[in-house]
Amino acid sequence: MDLVLVLVAVVALIVVATTVLKTHPFLALLLGAFLAAFGFRMPLDEIVATITGGFGGILGGIGIVIVLGTVIGVVLERSGAAVTMAEVVIKVLGQRFPTLTISVIGFIVSIPVFCDSGYVILNSLKESIARRTSTSMVAMSVALATGLFATHTLVPPTPGPIAAAGNLGLTDQLGLVILVGLVVAVVAAGVGLFWANRFTEAEPEGEGADELAAAAEEFESFKERYGALPGPVAALAPILVPILLICLGSVAALPAAPLGDGTPADLVRFVGEPVVALLVGLALALLLVRPGEGGTRRESFRDAVTDGITASAPILLITGAGGAFGAVIQATDIGDYLGSNLSELGIGVLMPFLVAAALKSAQGSSTVALVTTSALVAPLVGDIGMDSDLGRVLVVMAIGAGAMTVSHANDSYFWVVTQFSKMSVAQAYRTQTTATLLMGISAAAVTWVLSLVLV
């Protein structure tokens, strides 16, 4: 119980520091990591190694993706490709419901792509559609974030749901997991979209919001300033090609090895790695670069790379600090404590939901919550009356629902959304965190109803 109290106190301190005291989130999270380590009585000789390891670990997975995605976004914006993308998407899906449009795009993209990477890749498209349709950037950001998050936690081949299915003996039933996952994810994404639409009049409140507003005002004059826009194929390629490569890589990595085990499959898996896929996207974006005033294409590209790296620096620091905070929590016994206590409640399929929600809220990673909870509850599925293929699939759904409840200060995705959307921490808690709470509860409720009807 002491561990839980320490965790609650540290999270509260981070919230107060970033919202009331206006402390930079990087410093607040770093301080929170040290305070949590002391509060959890971690051995002194392990504290620094755990914090630096967590910082480097999260950046090792998402850091290069953030930088490459940001640079691609700068190129797309300066070349006019972002305008072309917005016009193409609006022409296909219409402009009456822009938040629905970006939510659907996120929902589809995050089936094979991690939500963090998906948000980075689609951020420029989101901003383009928001400006083109004069829609609130806050509403669009939450719609995209929740659309991505729904399938990220519920639908294979995202690694978290695949690992959970494997731990529950469903490796040969991934098709059923995908089918049920899509049903539950639609409900969760719909709830996220509903919450996003509550903020159609809101504007970003974080650092950089003024620059974002200025960019929106200049959007309509883009054609006059830059001349002819890139064609749809050239404009969409830097985003769609990486997504396609990641999708193919995910398919090749499935346990059934549908593409085989030879060199061609290894090559597909290699180019399907997000870092490699985004490097390909950056190469395609290079073709869009135009000479600047009095300069060359090479100089324009160099300036775009420099500006992209500069823009990504604070995001990297905050994301890394969030990873450090999460690593300290993962190094404690709080997960075992919460799991063992909640597993004794005897509330059927809602038990895995509560365990996963507690782990997600405590340590931040949805994937960790999915993997850990599924391993913990696998021996208990018979005790809760879910020891059948369909019952185990619903347990995966319950765990996935918990793994989205909730995204807050110790979750790297929270900081990716917050920083790329130019929202303040307080605003992100009102929008993104609350949205994930409602999504998780609604997904759990749907799963519970399905268990009553089908099992």
Side-chain angles (χ1 to χ4, degrees), residues 63 124 156 203 257 329 340 384 443:
S124 58
E203 295 300 330
I329 297 171
S340 60
I384 61 176

Side-chain angles (χ1 to χ4, degrees), residues 5 10 74 80 108 117 125 138 157-158 162 171 177 180 194 223 243 259 300 327 352 357 385 408 417:
L5 293 177
V10 173
V74 172
I108 296 171
S117 303
L125 177 61
V138 174
T158 306
I162 280 187
T171 302
V177 177
V180 178
F194 167 79
K223 292 180 181 179
I243 290 173
L259 300 185
S300 295
H408 66 104
V417 174

Side-chain angles (χ1 to χ4, degrees), residues 61-417:
I62 191 66
I64 298 177
V65 171
I66 288 176
V67 174
L68 292 176
T70 305
V71 173
I72 290 173
V74 172
V75 174
L76 293 179
E77 180 179 354
R78 294 185 179 180
S79 66
V83 181
T84 300
M85 288 190 301
E87 292 181 343
V88 170
V89 172
I90 290 168
K91 185 178 296 184
V92 174
L93 299 177
Q95 58 180 329
R96 292 185 58 192
F97 307 105
T99 53
L100 173 61
T101 296
I102 200 65
S103 177
V104 170
I105 293 172
F107 185 94
I108 296 171
V109 166
S110 199
I111 292 175
V113 180
F114 266 94
C115 56
D116 307 63
S117 303
Y119 197 93
V120 174
I121 293 170
L122 295 173
N123 185 63
S124 58
L125 177 61
K126 174 207 73 180
E127 293 184 0
S128 298
I129 296 175
R131 295 168 187 169
R132 178 70 174 79
T133 59
S134 300
T135 304
S136 162
M137 198 68 74
V138 174
M140 291 290 285
S141 298
V142 177
L144 174 59
T146 53
L148 288 162
F149 205 37
T151 47
H152 172 76
T153 57
L154 292 167
V155 183
T158 306
I162 280 187
N167 285 339
L168 289 163
L170 294 170
T171 302
D172 296 330
Q173 298 290 334
L174 284 180
L176 184 59
V177 177
I178 292 172
L179 180 62
V180 178
L182 286 171
V183 173
V184 179
V186 164
V187 175
V191 171
L193 177 63
F194 167 79
W195 188 253
N197 285 333
R198 289 173 52 89
F199 301 96
T200 52
E201 303 298 326
E203 295 300 330
E205 299 172 355
E207 296 181 5
D210 293 340
E211 291 86 346
L212 200 60
E217 292 176 0
E218 296 178 359
F219 185 76
E220 291 302 328
S221 63
F222 191 97
K223 292 180 181 179
E224 298 178 6
R225 291 184 289 123
Y226 288 88
L229 296 174
V233 174
L236 289 167
I239 287 182
L240 293 186
V241 171
I243 290 173
L244 177 61
L245 292 176
I246 294 172
C247 289
L248 291 174
S250 298
V251 171
L254 288 173
L259 300 185
D261 296 319
T263 301
D266 291 339
L267 180 61
V268 171
R269 283 190 286 268
F270 173 74
V271 298
E273 292 287 342
V275 171
V276 179
L278 279 171
L279 279 172
V280 174
L282 182 59
L284 293 170
L286 174 59
L287 301 177
L288 301 171
V289 175
R290 311 177 185 203
E293 295 183 6
T296 64
R297 289 185 60 185
R298 181 182 300 176
E299 291 171 340
S300 295
F301 183 67
R302 182 197 61 201
D303 292 342
V305 172
T306 300
D307 291 344
I309 292 173
T310 301
S312 65
I315 301 173
L316 291 172
L317 288 173
I318 294 170
T319 302
F325 182 43
V328 169
I329 297 171
Q330 292 175 33
T332 70
D333 296 327
I334 191 169
D336 294 336
Y337 173 83
L338 292 171
S340 60
N341 281 272
L342 292 174
S343 64
E344 298 173 358
L345 294 179
I347 50 177
V349 77
L350 293 180
M351 180 273 286
F353 164 74
L354 291 177
V355 174
L359 288 175
K360 164 65 178 175
S361 298
Q363 52 78 40
S365 170
S366 294
T367 302
V368 170
L370 276 157
V371 175
T372 304
T373 305
S374 58
L376 180 68
V377 305
L380 306 175
V381 291
D383 298 332
I384 61 176
M386 306 298 287
D387 195 12
S388 65
D389 283 348
L390 188 54
R392 290 172 183 268
V393 169
L394 293 177
V395 171
V396 174
M397 296 302 105
I399 295 171
M404 66 174 68
T405 316
V406 294
S407 176
H408 66 104
N410 60 1
D411 181 7
S412 62
Y413 187 51
F414 174 86
W415 295 109
V416 168
V417 174

